[in-house]
Amino acid sequence: MSIKANLILFFWVFASFSCLFSSLTVAKSASRFPSSAIRAELAGKNSNKLYKAKYFTQILDHFNFNPKSYHRFQHRYLINETYWGGPKKNSPIFVYTGNEGDIEWFAQNTGFMYDVAPAFEALLVFIEHRFYGKSIPFGGDKDIAYSNASTLGYLTSAQALADYATLIIDLKRNLTAVDAPVVVFGGSYGGMLASWFRLKYPHIAIGALASSAPILNFDNITSPYSFNNIVTRDFRSESENCYKVIKGSWKRIEKAGKRAGGLELLRKSFGICKNYIDADALEGWLQTAFIYTAMTDYPTPSNFLNPLPPYPVKQMCKAIDDPKTGNDTFAKLYGAANVYYNYSGTATCFNLADSSDPHGLDMWGWQACTEMIMPTEGNNKESIFPESQWSYSERAAGCKAYFDVDPRPSWITTEFGGHVNRKKMMSLSMCHAYLTRGVGQQDIYRVLKRYGSNMIFFNGLRDPWSGGGVLKNISKTIVAIVAEQGAHHVDLRFATKEDPKWLRDARQMEISIISKWISQYYHDLAHNF
């Protein structure tokens, strides 16, 4: 795959991280989130009953005092008071720290909060991240807000956290619930924000549940090979033949794309629409399917990214291993791709030129070019994808060309802790072959132990992002819950009767820990601590 295509693929990969980056894509791809995913986990649920939308007048810049800083914008949040015990009982407020997209999408996919709200008599609040959804500064005009670095410069994680703090304080005051305990929740980037919010604003939130939050995926703390190593392991664990077919397919696609009539062969083999075909775009489309299927390898049917069956990685490998396809590699890959892109069976062809963005994720590209420098593109010799190395210089060059901005790869560890001790750090060329994570993880563990508390980090080991997650207890109050068969923030999904025991146990552990936080808070409040 070309350098250009590798750069494009990175911005695809971090979607839901949840986050796809459409604006930078030179070769457009149908791997964007389809419109069918917009009401993802609602199956049978009425979104009007899940929440009401409200707006808060938010300040543009929390950290400066020049005239522009005082500009305001309408900041959307969703609220559900159905189960709240009210301010007189100081019943808790559960807040979701919004991700890089429309907040309704995340509210509809965080069923755990709705499931536990009755027992806690909790008020539910989902706060949208600035520059996403309907929370757009500069009069709500995206053409202005997204126009250049001068306006996009206000899109940072620190500004978003300050937004959440300001909104929560104001909301509690308006509800006469200033003494109500707040617990923050988040998955993926939202989980990172939840953990950072607890660190930065411990006087506002008594605890944080951070699910699939790769806070270690910065500044050489985690190996750039980790992400794709886990994707590889997921498929290889299902079938060695499945692994070999996928691994060997990329050269076949490249060769086919270069020979006369090859692109037409690829188009027909993969059911690509007639408007556009390109070998690099096809490879990106397939890689996106494998990566997102690994991320959402849930044990029950889902519709978070696309409609998928239970254990979709297994179903992909079953399609690849189907003896009916013989030795036809393209037929095998087409069957696997259909699991991700056409499980509903409604697609007539796949449009590689589709640039639709139903969840409003575009501006993740800016964040991934400024402070969210999370190396994931490395592929070693065993990888399911073509061998490649992570290149910061390529990322920086792409960001400079598109946004005219220089990344700050060390800013997150400076802002939230975890700088690697450079004297201890082994060169990646020496350690990437056998290390999933760099020695720098020990530094951030020490940082969290020194000044953090009341945090839960959930990670499923089938999730490629788990390589950058907290996988061991840091202290008695900073707990890691690790599920060997878990996928990307699976614990935050709506509970179903089909959930396996390990998932039910993980959620019960989270409930128990949160209960202890709240009980301790009430005890301290009663005794004026």
Side-chain angles (χ1 to χ4, degrees):
M1 181 176 283
S2 68
I3 291 175
K4 177 184 74 176
N6 276 327
L7 181 62
I8 292 168
L9 182 62
F10 164 77
F11 291 108
W12 288 343
V13 166
F14 201 73
S16 130
F17 251 137
S18 304
C19 323
L20 297 174
F21 178 46
S22 69
S23 300
L24 191 61
T25 54
V26 180
K28 301 293 186 180
S29 168
S31 61
R32 303 195 58 76
F33 293 147
S35 299
S36 61
I38 291 181
R39 294 294 180 260
E41 295 302 323
L42 278 181
K45 299 178 177 67
N46 187 338
S47 62
N48 292 330
K49 295 182 180 180
L50 287 180
Y51 48 74
K52 293 180 180 179
K54 295 189 177 184
Y55 289 85
F56 171 71
T57 301
Q58 187 65 264
I59 194 169
L60 177 63
D61 184 359
H62 297 277
F63 305 113
N64 291 288
F65 299 91
N66 57 54
K68 288 185 179 180
S69 299
Y70 292 91
H71 288 189
R72 306 282 176 168
F73 68 95
Q74 292 305 297
H75 190 182
R76 183 169 61 156
Y77 64 99
L78 311 177
I79 191 167
N80 183 314
E81 302 177 81
T82 305
Y83 307 107
W84 193 36
K88 292 183 179 179
K89 297 173 67 174
N90 285 323
S91 293
I93 300 173
F94 289 174
V95 175
Y96 187 91
T97 50
N99 300 48
E100 66 296 9
D102 191 305
I103 191 60
E104 292 195 63
W105 181 39
F106 297 107
Q108 294 162 10
N109 283 280
T110 310
F112 177 75
M113 290 175 64
Y114 296 97
D115 290 340
V116 304
F120 285 100
E121 295 187 309
L123 175 69
L124 301 182
V125 181
F126 298 82
I127 308 178
E128 193 160 63
H129 196 296
R130 57 168 52 203
F131 282 84
Y132 294 101
K134 295 183 178 180
S135 300
I136 309 298
F138 303 100
D141 189 333
K142 290 184 179 181
D143 289 339
I144 296 175
Y146 297 174
S147 61
N148 56 56
S150 295
T151 53
L152 284 171
Y154 297 102
L155 171 52
T156 69
S157 58
Q159 294 280 8
L161 293 175
D163 286 343
Y164 302 156
T166 304
L167 193 155
I168 291 170
I169 289 173
D170 185 80
L171 178 65
K172 291 179 69 176
R173 184 183 301 116
N174 289 338
L175 294 172
T176 62
V178 292
D179 287 330
V182 173
V183 178
V184 289
F185 297 74
S188 200
Y189 172 51
M192 298 163 71
L193 292 170
S195 66
W196 293 336
F197 190 87
R198 170 60 185 162
L199 292 174
K200 287 292 185 179
Y201 299 96
H203 57 292
I204 297 176
I206 67 168
L209 169 53
S211 180
S212 299
I215 62 169
L216 306 179
N217 225 126
F218 296 93
D219 208 14
N220 294 332
I221 297 174
T222 297
S223 166
Y225 299 88
S226 170
F227 187 96
N228 288 325
N229 282 350
I230 296 173
V231 176
T232 299
R233 185 185 66 199
D234 287 350
F235 282 89
R236 200 169 193 175
S237 68
E238 295 297 342
S239 163
E240 184 69 15
N241 178 66
C242 178
Y243 158 75
K244 289 180 177 178
V245 168
I246 298 172
K247 182 175 177 60
S249 67
W250 312 113
K251 289 184 179 180
R252 291 176 180 266
I253 293 173
E254 290 175 10
K255 288 181 180 179
K258 292 177 180 178
R259 68 172 182 259
L263 288 177
E264 182 61 17
L265 171 64
L266 292 175
R267 189 188 67 77
K268 291 181 177 179
S269 297
F270 291 95
I272 305 302
C273 300
K274 294 183 178 181
N275 61 324
Y276 178 76
I277 180 66
D278 175 82
D280 276 350
L282 179 62
E283 286 187 35
W285 181 76
L286 288 169
Q287 290 187 22
T288 297
F290 296 134
I291 288 169
Y292 288 159
T293 299
M295 282 174 56
T296 56
D297 194 31
Y298 298 137
T300 55
S302 66
N303 194 8
F304 176 47
L305 305 183
N306 280 353
L308 288 174
Y311 301 107
V313 171
K314 182 186 294 292
Q315 296 305 314
M316 273 193 167
C317 284
K318 187 178 292 186
I320 288 174
D321 293 340
D322 188 346
K324 294 180 182 179
T325 56
N327 295 320
D328 189 339
T329 296
F330 293 167
K332 293 176 181 295
L333 293 181
Y334 174 72
N338 264 275
V339 173
Y340 180 76
Y341 289 114
N342 193 29
Y343 184 66
S344 63
T346 59
T348 57
C349 68
F350 301 113
N351 182 7
L352 296 187
D354 182 10
S355 61
S356 59
D357 183 24
H359 300 299
L361 308 172
D362 277 357
M363 283 305 103
W364 180 257
W366 168 265
Q367 293 190 260
C369 273
T370 50
E371 58 181 0
M372 295 296 164
I373 311 301
M374 306 175 71
T376 60
E377 298 96 309
N379 288 285
N380 58 25
K381 292 181 179 180
E382 294 296 308
S383 175
I384 204 170
F385 303 122
E387 188 173 358
S388 63
Q389 293 185 352
W390 150 251
S391 172
Y392 170 75
S393 61
E394 287 182 13
R395 171 78 67 81
C399 294
K400 186 68 174 178
Y402 193 80
F403 288 114
D404 193 25
V405 67
D406 295 313
R408 298 181 185 175
S410 298
W411 177 246
I412 288 297
T413 52
T414 302
E415 175 75 1
F416 302 111
H419 255 306
V420 176
N421 184 330
R422 300 298 176 184
K423 293 181 180 179
K424 293 180 181 180
M425 190 63 191
M426 300 170 62
S427 69
L428 288 176
S429 61
M430 294 172 59
C431 70
H432 73 71
Y434 58 91
L435 278 183
T436 300
R437 302 183 337 149
V439 295
Q441 62 178 283
Q442 299 302 327
D443 296 79
I444 200 167
Y445 285 159
R446 283 194 290 270
V447 168
L448 289 173
K449 188 174 183 177
R450 285 170 182 156
Y451 74 97
S453 65
N454 286 10
M455 301 165 74
I456 302 170
F457 290 97
F458 172 88
N459 280 283
L461 296 185
R462 293 186 71 82
D463 176 16
W465 292 106
S466 65
V470 175
L471 302 180
K472 68 178 184 180
N473 292 347
I474 294 176
S475 67
K476 290 183 179 180
T477 61
I478 302 180
V479 178
I481 299 176
V482 179
E484 184 177 352
Q485 297 301 314
H488 202 51
H489 50 67
V490 63
D491 58 321
L492 294 184
R493 289 166 48 77
F494 282 101
T496 72
K497 295 180 180 178
E498 293 75 32
D499 289 336
K501 184 177 183 299
W502 61 261
L503 180 53
R504 298 196 303 270
D505 289 346
R507 288 173 176 149
Q508 190 55 51
M509 189 179 302
E510 292 170 348
I511 292 170
S512 177
I513 294 170
I514 293 170
S515 296
K516 291 178 181 178
W517 295 343
I518 294 174
S519 294
Q520 184 63 51
Y521 173 84
Y522 287 149
H523 176 272
D524 294 346
L525 186 65
H527 293 82
N528 294 317
F529 289 165

